[in-house]
Structures are given as C-alpha cells and as structure tokens.
Amino acid sequence: MNKNNYKFPTVTVGGLVTASVTRRELAEVMVRDCRLARENLAEWLPRVVFSSNGQGIALAGQDAEFAATMAKADIIHADGMPVVFASRMTAHPLPERIATTDFFHDAAKAAEEQGLKFFILGAEEEQNRAATEEIAKMYPQLKIVGRRNGYFPAELDAEVCEEIRESGADVLWVALGKPRQERWAIENRQRLRGVGWIKTCGGLYAFLAGDAPRAPLWMQRCGLEWLYRAAKEPRRLAFRYIITNPYSLYRLLSATHR
Ligand code: UDP
C-alpha cells in the first residue's frame, strides 16, 4: 500500500470523507503521484480518486457494500455543489466544487505540460471514440495511449488491465457509471500496479463527445446542474433524481460533521 501523505484536510459530507482541496491542488497532486508511480513502477498501487455527488451519497447511505467501496478511495472530491453547500455547516467548508467535467481539463493541461499519458476507458464504443478524438483535438500534445469501451464482461477484467498497464498509462479515466466504476476501480487496482491514478468519471465522455450539453453556469453555481440534466434526459435521469434527491438531502443534513 502506498503511503498516503496528502496534506489537505478532509470533511465528512453526507457520510463520505471528502477532500478539502481546490481544482489546482488536485491537478498538482495528480502530477506528483504519477511521478512517484513512475519511480516505483513495480510497487505502486494506483491512487483511486472518486467523486461525491447526491447520487453517490444516496447510494452509500443505502448500500453498506458501496459505502465500504467508497471508503477505500484515496481521495473523494466534491463533484456536486450541494456537497459544497453542506460542508458550510462544518468548521471546514470545502474551498470549491470540483466537477469531474471541469477537472478533466485541468488534468489534461497539466498532463500535456508534464508528458503524462491518459487511457480512456468506458461508455459506448461510439461515445468513447468521439470523446477520445475530441480530447486529441483539444489537447494536441497530450499522450492518449489507449481507449476501450465500457461494455466488457468481468471475465475480461484481467485482460483489460493488462492492456492498460502495457500502454504505460499514468492516468486511467473510468466511466462505467455508479456503482460499477467504483467497484471496478477497487477490485482491479492490484492488477494495475504502476498506473498513477484511477479516476472515475461517470458521464464525462458524453460531455466531451458533445452528446450532452453542460448546464448554464448560473445553474452549475446554484447547485442545479442535476435539474438541467434531468430536463435534457428525463427518461434516464428524472427517476434517478426524484428517488435520490430527498434521501441525499437527508444524508447531507444528518451525516455531515459539524
Ligand atoms: N457505462 C459503461 N458500462 C456499463 C455501464 C455504463 O461504460 O456497464 C457507461 C455509460 O455508457 C455512460 C457512463 O457509464 O457513458 C455512465 O454515465 P452516467 O451519466 O450514468 O454517469 P453519472 O451520471 O454517474 O456521472
């Protein structure tokens, strides 16, 4: 196991131990960890970085196994604005929201500068391909060393991990949806020794591929991005939010340490 010597404090929000860190600091940590990984390729266990939003908080509150999986992360950052609002009830409010869709760009810029390599795992084949092409266009110096869609059976996990390791990836982006992506990351981290970071990223490729528009900034800032997404994709998301929002609100109020 790596020695986890992160300097930032944590706050328990909605039952999840959440890192009090800014976007810039998180990108710096990514670069530092990937450098350390390269120095200890054979031993380095990937750092697993998850994000916290209403859906994840609700899932962890209802499913002890998922809560245990979340607890194994090295870093959980606040992906949703409600997580940041709730942290203001504590003595250590989180400095800002780190939406994975925003953080991806911080990470890509840092990776371009530092020569770090990305592997793009997850989503439907077409979306994965389109997102990868878009990333290559936006960040021409970025080394994208592999990509693979997220529809493969568990029997292929070892093979998929071997492909990722052999690619020399520093950062593995994993979009398999909650809770599969978190379980997959924890279950497979031993097979991915030498990879610096495993970063879960849910619907990221849909945004990058242009399949899903981002909510207007004012909605993102007010904590209403979920409402915009639900309005755009009511069949898939409205039910999710109707079910999870009241319960995640309850968890945000009752399982945030003041
Ligand atoms: N997905 C996948 N394999 C699966 C299940 C889901 O690759 O077995 C992908 C799915 O195609 C989508 C992503 O995982 O691209 C989940 O996106 P979602 O919008 O649900 O993520 P979230 O809202 O949690 O960020």
Side-chain angles (χ1 to χ4, degrees):
M1 185 66 188
N2 307 324
K3 262 199 147 163
N4 191 333
N5 52 359
Y6 296 130
K7 291 198 184 74
F8 45 77
T10 56
V11 192
T12 300
V13 184
L16 300 178
V17 177
T18 310
S20 188
V21 65
T22 64
R23 278 171 57 177
R24 217 185 75 191
E25 284 164 350
L26 192 60
E28 285 167 5
V29 171
M30 180 192 79
V31 169
R32 200 197 60 192
D33 283 346
C34 291
R35 282 217 195 101
L36 287 172
R38 284 190 185 183
E39 286 165 17
N40 308 283
L41 265 192
E43 279 126 67
W44 181 267
L45 202 52
R47 292 278 162 91
V48 172
V49 184
F50 292 159
S51 52
S52 168
N53 60 11
Q55 187 203 1
I57 285 171
L59 262 176
Q62 288 161 326
D63 176 348
E65 195 197 315
F66 183 67
T69 300
M70 289 300 285
K72 289 186 182 134
D74 294 289
I75 302 175
I76 300 177
H77 63 84
D79 199 305
M81 206 55 209
V83 179
V84 177
F85 291 149
S87 76
R88 294 186 184 154
M89 300 188 299
T90 74
H92 300 284
L94 296 170
E96 63 178 338
R97 172 190 185 200
I98 307 181
T100 304
T101 19
D102 296 322
F103 177 69
F104 178 81
H105 298 283
D106 303 335
K109 277 176 217 144
E112 249 191 340
E113 282 165 24
Q114 304 291 330
L116 300 183
K117 302 171 201 160
F118 281 7
F119 193 107
I120 307 298
L121 178 68
E124 301 274 358
E125 176 60 19
E126 239 345 278
Q127 194 170 80
N128 180 295
R129 183 202 309 276
T132 305
E133 284 171 7
E134 205 43 47
I135 298 165
K137 259 190 240 155
M138 279 187 278
Y139 303 101
Q141 306 305 318
L142 179 66
K143 295 177 182 141
I144 305 171
V145 289
R147 67 166 196 90
R148 184 172 185 135
N149 73 59
Y151 292 86
F152 54 88
E155 300 85 74
L156 285 190
D157 280 355
E159 196 180 292
V160 171
C161 290
E162 199 42 39
E163 182 188 338
I164 295 162
R165 257 173 71 114
E166 286 197 347
S167 76
D170 296 291
V171 181
L172 168 63
W173 295 87
V174 182
L176 303 173
K178 277 187 175 61
R180 184 177 169 209
Q181 59 195 13
E182 286 77 12
R183 284 204 194 112
W184 193 91
I186 296 299
E187 281 168 11
N188 288 288
R189 73 196 301 198
Q190 291 284 351
R191 292 174 165 149
L192 289 164
R193 279 187 185 273
V195 173
W197 261 32
I198 304 176
K199 175 73 193 89
T200 53
C201 58
L204 171 69
Y205 307 152
F207 292 111
L208 291 172
D211 294 340
R214 235 15 236 286
L217 260 186
W218 71 266
M219 288 185 102
Q220 294 182 37
R221 288 191 183 129
C222 297
L224 290 176
E225 192 158 18
W226 62 272
L227 184 61
Y228 184 84
R229 290 187 69 192
K232 288 278 170 196
E233 285 185 81
R235 272 166 184 252
R236 193 171 75 87
L237 296 176
F239 184 70
R240 179 198 284 184
Y241 289 126
I242 287 165
I243 295 294
T244 58
N245 274 6
Y247 184 64
S248 65
L249 183 63
Y250 162 74
R251 290 290 295 169
L252 281 171
L253 293 173
S254 64
T256 295
H257 294 180
R258 285 148 221 249

